[in-house]
Amino acid sequence: TRKLLLEPGDVGRADDAPAADVMADVAAQGGAPGAARLDLGGEGPPVSLQPYGGEYQLQGIMDLISVDLSEPYSIFTYRYFINNWPQLCYVAVQQEEGEAPPRDGADAAPRIVGTIVCKQDTHRGGAMRGYIAMLAVHHSMRKRGMGSKLVQLAVRAMHAGGCDEAVLETEVTNIGALRLYEGLGFVRDKRLHKYYLNGNDAFRLKVWFNIGT
């Protein structure tokens, strides 16, 4: 199991309003999300948060995620998640003003500055479980709440797809990731001893969608 790092800066600016709890977001927003925008406050071209658009975005996703991996994933790992559950993969794309978004197969690849890659399947006991496999934010985009927004989009898509819960693992020493997910309503469900290749433990974090239903 490889670890994917999330820096404390991904949580959001210190003076930002707290990120909405994912279940409050699900209740307020309803079904599967489409595209959203992240306002950079005039500090650069706006960023579009959008569902995975096709193979032309894959290399950008791989390049972004590989920066924070202790060992690289193979392209087959990315394709396993993205080709099977494209509706659970979101990308943050930054384009210059007036620049037309590229189409699948176009020569110009988009600048991917954030991504979340997930899956869903049936867990033991019959529950449909969503799983956050990868989350990465470019260093230039940190402290802007992008990580929180990507998680909210993915969790809404999981809920709309019939999931009963969402889970992920993160290293017990990754304070930034723990702050991010716990701030969004995830709770520590289990400690997994020596889960990572470096021998470190992981916390399994979970949020339930259908409590009391």
Side-chain angles (χ1 to χ4, degrees), residues 28-86:
Q29 302 296 332
R37 288 175 71 84
L38 185 67
D39 184 7
L40 301 182
E43 297 180 11
V47 173
S48 173
L49 307 177
Q50 56 193 243
Y52 175 69
E55 186 79 7
Y56 73 99
Q57 294 179 332
L58 180 58
Q59 188 61 53
I61 292 172
M62 292 171 57
D63 290 345
L64 179 63
I65 291 175
S66 65
V67 171
D68 288 329
L69 285 176
S70 54
E71 294 183 11
Y73 289 120
S74 75
I75 191 171
F76 302 105
T77 301
Y78 291 97
R79 286 200 168 121
Y80 166 73
F81 287 102
I82 293 172
N83 290 351
N84 285 299
W85 299 277

Side-chain angles (χ1 to χ4, degrees), residues 20 23 36 50 70 72 81 109 116 121 132 135 167 170 184-185 209:
M23 287 313 302
Q50 56 193 243
S70 54
F81 287 102
I116 188 166
D121 53 22
I132 299 175
L135 172 65
V167 303
T170 191
L184 289 169
F209 298 149

Side-chain angles (χ1 to χ4, degrees), residues 3 170-174 191-203:
K3 68 176 181 178
T170 191
E171 197 166 1
V172 296
T173 57
N174 193 338
R191 184 166 182 146
L192 306 171
H193 294 282
K194 297 184 178 180
Y195 184 79
Y196 293 104
L197 293 176
N198 62 6
N200 283 355
D201 294 355
F203 284 125

Side-chain angles (χ1 to χ4, degrees), residues 35-159:
R37 288 175 71 84
L38 185 67
D39 184 7
L40 301 182
E43 297 180 11
V47 173
S48 173
L49 307 177
Q50 56 193 243
Y52 175 69
E55 186 79 7
Y56 73 99
Q57 294 179 332
L58 180 58
Q59 188 61 53
I61 292 172
M62 292 171 57
D63 290 345
L64 179 63
I65 291 175
S66 65
V67 171
D68 288 329
L69 285 176
S70 54
E71 294 183 11
Y73 289 120
S74 75
I75 191 171
F76 302 105
T77 301
Y78 291 97
R79 286 200 168 121
Y80 166 73
F81 287 102
I82 293 172
N83 290 351
N84 285 299
W85 299 277
Q87 76 280 10
L88 299 181
C89 175
Y90 284 82
V91 292
V93 177
Q94 187 174 45
Q95 294 171 321
E96 296 295 335
E97 293 292 344
E99 179 184 2
R103 299 181 302 276
D104 201 346
D107 292 335
R111 181 176 183 239
I112 305 293
V113 294
T115 188
I116 188 166
V117 177
C118 311
K119 72 169 187 172
Q120 69 179 62
D121 53 22
T122 304
H123 189 55
R124 294 188 301 271
M128 182 62 71
R129 169 176 283 187
Y131 178 73
I132 299 175
M134 310 174 200
L135 172 65
V137 174
H138 191 271
H139 66 85
S140 67
M141 293 289 121
R142 290 173 179 167
K143 298 186 179 180
R144 302 176 187 272
M146 184 182 292
S148 297
K149 190 64 176 177
L150 287 167
V151 173
Q152 289 173 319
L153 290 170
V155 168
R156 281 177 55 198
M158 291 175 188
H159 184 263

